[in-house]
Amino acid sequence: DEIGSGGNGTVLRAEHMGTRKVVAVKLLPPADDPSAAPRFRREAAALAALDHPNVVHALDYDEADGRHLLVMEYVAGTDLHRLVQD
């Protein structure tokens, strides 16, 4: 299920096939900009380095079919963008 999208990708709610755990998967859109993939890798590394109760945890980073993806813990509720809008 798509739960959000923006200039830096699309976020999907998914179920891990092995653990059956619900996760959020951020997919980087295909881009002609060669700097997009390294930026996304830095984002994944920065998120993985954080350990704070108010920040989701990065669980995995990979590339599939030429698309980069970041797997994060899924937290149900309103996202920050919607909260600020309201």
Side-chain angles (χ1 to χ4, degrees):
D1 299 327
E2 183 175 323
I3 56 177
S5 63
N8 196 19
T10 302
V11 180
L12 307 169
R13 183 179 60 162
E15 183 179 285
H16 187 279
M17 292 172 59
T19 66
R20 315 269 315 163
K21 182 177 182 175
V22 176
V23 296
V25 179
K26 184 173 186 179
L27 294 171
L28 182 68
D32 295 330
D33 180 2
S35 68
R39 277 196 321 266
F40 196 68
R41 281 193 293 275
R42 285 192 302 274
E43 176 186 344
L47 183 58
L50 294 174
D51 186 17
H52 190 278
N54 295 335
V55 178
V56 298
H57 293 100
L59 304 174
D60 199 4
Y61 171 82
D62 205 353
E63 183 180 345
D65 297 326
R67 296 188 69 182
H68 296 272
L69 58 100
L70 172 61
V71 181
M72 303 168 284
E73 69 177 317
Y74 173 75
V75 178
T78 302
D79 64 43
L80 181 59
H81 180 73
R82 287 191 188 114
L83 184 64
V84 169
Q85 282 183 329
D86 291 346

